[in-house]
Amino acid sequence: MTNKAAGETGAEGAEELRRQIEQTRSELGDTVEELAGKMDVKGRAQARAADLRDKAGAMTVQLRSSAAQAGHTVQERATKAGHKVQDTATRAGHQAHERALKAGHTAQDRTTRTRHTLEDRADHGMPWPAGPVVKAAVRHPRPTLLIGAAVLAIAVVSWRYPKK
């Protein structure tokens, strides 16, 4: 009966049994491969090191890119600041130039008015010997200043080193 029972289900049972055995062998092979992979410490360490090298390389590229971008940003800001300083200095220079011109014109106008006042006084309010001298000094100020400086130097030297 045992044979008969096995024989009735023999064809189907044997075929099914072979298929299950094959499937079990396949699963067992996968499990053994998996266990062998877990047991291969050196291989796992090398794989992990390769992953870390790849990550480090990617981070290096990213950091270099970030540094380059930061460098460009700093350069642009420095250029803008330099232009701003240059513009401010140019404006300040123009303002100083305008103020100097205005002060020069004011001084020139005052000098001209003083000259005319002195000429009028020399013509009308001074005695004869002083009038023409003052008028000549007003018309030719540089030689007058040189002569005055020479007279002053002679007076200082005479006073400082008197004759014995």
Side-chain angles (χ1 to χ4, degrees):
M1 260 200 189
T2 315
N3 286 343
K4 193 173 189 184
E8 287 179 12
T9 59
E12 277 183 41
E15 189 74 29
E16 181 68 24
L17 193 56
R18 283 187 189 111
R19 189 183 62 73
Q20 286 178 356
I21 290 171
E22 192 60 39
Q23 183 179 355
T24 304
R25 278 184 186 160
S26 176
E27 288 175 3
L28 186 61
D30 291 344
T31 304
V32 168
E33 227 177 272
E34 197 175 309
L35 287 172
K38 287 184 180 181
M39 294 301 290
D40 184 18
V41 177
K42 184 177 178 183
R44 286 176 48 205
Q46 287 175 344
R48 178 76 174 143
D51 287 345
L52 290 175
R53 272 194 301 271
D54 291 344
K55 286 182 182 178
M59 289 178 86
T60 302
V61 169
Q62 186 178 8
L63 288 174
R64 283 182 181 167
S65 173
S66 297
Q69 187 176 7
H72 290 302
T73 302
V74 167
Q75 185 178 11
E76 287 174 6
R77 287 182 181 173
T79 301
K80 285 180 184 177
H83 289 307
K84 187 175 181 180
V85 167
Q86 187 177 11
D87 292 344
T88 303
T90 301
R91 272 189 262 120
H94 288 305
Q95 287 175 352
H97 182 256
E98 289 174 8
R99 288 178 184 164
L101 281 176
K102 186 176 180 181
H105 289 303
T106 302
Q108 194 174 16
D109 291 344
R110 286 182 182 170
T111 303
T112 303
R113 275 186 266 138
T114 303
R115 178 177 162 221
H116 289 304
T117 302
L118 287 174
E119 283 179 349
D120 287 344
R121 286 184 184 170
D123 284 341
H124 303 294
M126 289 195 177
W128 175 80
V133 172
V134 170
K135 206 171 185 181
V138 169
R139 284 189 191 139
H140 307 290
R142 282 190 182 134
T144 303
L145 288 174
L146 290 174
I147 292 170
V151 169
L152 181 65
I154 291 170
V156 167
V157 168
S158 296
W159 172 75
R160 182 127 179 160
Y161 303 105
K163 290 183 181 180
K164 290 184 185 184

